[in-house]
Amino acid sequence: MEIIVCKNYDELSKKASQFIIDLIKEKSNAVLGLATGGTPEGMYAELVKAYKNGEISFKDVKTYNLDEYVGLDGNHEQSYRYFMNKQLFDYVDINKANTHVPNGKADDLDGECKNYEKNLEELGYADIQILGIGTNGHIGFNEPAEELIIPTHVEPLVEETIEANSRYFDSKDEVPKEAISMGIGSILKAKHIILLASGANKNEIMKYFNNDKISTNVPASLIKLHPHVTIIMDEDAAK
Ligand code: GLP
C-alpha cells in the first residue's frame, strides 16, 4: 500500500488526476470506477483541464460509478448521475452511453444491481477505482456492519451518513434512506484502488490505516487486503 501525503487539497487533486491521465494515455479504452462526494471534485476539474488542453480524450473510456441514491432520478440535483454530469461528463468527449451510474429509480432494484455487477464483471472490473471515505469508514455506501455484502446491492444508510450528506439537501428528511452501492467485492476486484481523503474531519478514521488490522466496522480497511492500493491524503487528513 502506497501512502501519499500532499501539502493541500489542490496537490491531492492534481496527484489523483495524474494517475487517471497516465492510465488513459496508456489505455485509451480504460474502465474507470468513479466516486462522488466533495473530495474528488478537484480531481474532476483537473481531468476536464487535461481534456481541454488536448492531453487526453475520453472517447473510448468507460466509467462505472460506485453508487446512487434510491428514489432519485438523474435530473435530481442531488443524484450522483447529475453530480457526474456536472463535474465531468458534460465537459469532456465521453460517450454518455459509456457512463454508468446505478439507476436509483429502477422498478426492479435487485435486477438493476445484478445487471450492474454483471456488466462490470464482463469488463473485468475497473482499471482504477477511485474512492472517497465516509467519516464512519464507509466506501461507496458500504456502511459499517457485522457482515458486508460482496456484489452491488441495495444498502440502507446509517444515521451518521444521512446526517453527513444532509448538507447537500434542504433538510435531513429529504436525504434518501437507501442507496444502490457497488459491494466490497466489486471494489476489491478493481486492478488499482485509489482512496482520497481530505480535511481534518477525516483524520480520526484515517488513523485506522496505521495498524495491521481489518474490520467490517471500518469497511475501508478491507482495501488493505488488495495488492495495489494508493492512498492520497492532504496534511489535514493525515495529521
Ligand atoms: C458519500 C459517498 C461516498 C463518499 C462519501 C464521502 O457518502 N457515497 O462515496 O466517499 O460521501 O464524501 P466527501 O468526499 O464529501 O467527504
Side-chain angles (χ1 to χ4, degrees):
M1 188 164 75
E2 182 190 18
I3 298 185
I4 301 172
V5 178
C6 299
K7 270 203 312 292
N8 51 39
Y9 179 69
D10 191 46
E11 199 182 300
L12 172 151
S13 302
K14 291 201 167 87
K15 254 275 156 339
S17 68
Q18 199 57 50
F19 279 100
I20 295 184
I21 292 167
D22 291 346
L23 170 69
I24 295 176
K25 281 182 177 167
E26 191 188 301
K27 185 177 178 187
S28 58
N29 63 346
V31 179
L32 304 178
L34 298 178
T36 54
T39 313
E41 284 183 10
M43 178 191 79
Y44 292 133
E46 292 297 329
L47 291 176
V48 171
K49 256 194 239 165
Y51 162 70
K52 291 202 164 142
N53 292 339
E55 216 186 326
I56 47 168
S57 162
F58 289 81
K59 202 165 56 68
D60 299 319
V61 168
K62 294 190 175 67
T63 66
Y64 277 81
N65 263 78
L66 280 168
D67 46 16
E68 179 62 285
Y69 289 114
V70 167
L72 301 193
D73 75 30
N75 295 318
H76 190 291
E77 288 188 15
Q78 298 315 328
S79 73
Y80 288 167
R81 159 56 72 181
Y82 187 90
F83 174 99
M84 287 311 304
N85 287 345
K86 296 299 160 206
Q87 295 293 322
L88 181 68
F89 303 152
D90 284 352
Y91 307 105
V92 297
D93 63 345
I94 199 160
N95 176 355
K96 282 262 176 84
N98 288 338
T99 68
H100 305 270
V101 181
N103 177 5
K105 287 284 266 186
D107 290 331
D108 173 9
L109 290 172
D110 285 338
E112 171 68 14
C113 294
K114 285 205 178 78
N115 205 30
Y116 203 75
E117 188 72 27
K118 191 168 143 269
N119 288 342
L120 266 169
E121 192 179 351
E122 279 168 8
L123 281 172
Y125 291 90
D127 290 302
I128 286 183
Q129 175 65 57
I130 299 292
L131 297 176
I133 183 168
T135 50
N136 65 356
H138 76 209
I139 45 176
F141 270 126
N142 293 279
E143 300 283 26
E146 193 93 328
E147 294 182 316
L148 300 177
I149 299 174
I150 296 170
T152 304
H153 61 282
V154 175
E155 177 95 12
L157 305 184
V158 302
E159 195 52 33
E160 187 172 341
T161 299
I162 292 174
E163 186 68 52
N165 291 6
S166 66
R167 68 189 193 277
Y168 295 114
F169 292 81
D170 288 339
S171 78
K172 202 173 126 186
D173 295 342
E174 285 179 28
V175 184
K177 307 283 178 286
E178 289 180 322
I180 294 179
S181 179
M182 276 191 204
I184 290 292
S186 342
I187 293 169
L188 288 177
K189 283 173 197 141
K191 297 176 185 75
H192 181 192
I193 294 175
I194 300 179
L195 184 142
L196 310 178
S198 166
N201 65 333
K202 298 290 166 71
N203 62 35
E204 198 52 44
I205 196 69
M206 292 314 287
K207 280 187 193 156
Y208 208 85
F209 284 93
N210 273 338
N211 65 40
D212 289 332
K213 296 175 187 165
I214 54 168
S215 168
T216 57
N217 286 313
V218 184
S221 69
L222 272 85
I223 68 170
K224 293 183 192 180
L225 297 172
H226 191 281
H228 192 189
V229 173
T230 306
I231 294 182
I232 309 177
M233 43 184 171
D234 59 17
E235 282 178 358
D236 286 343
K239 243 173 230 162

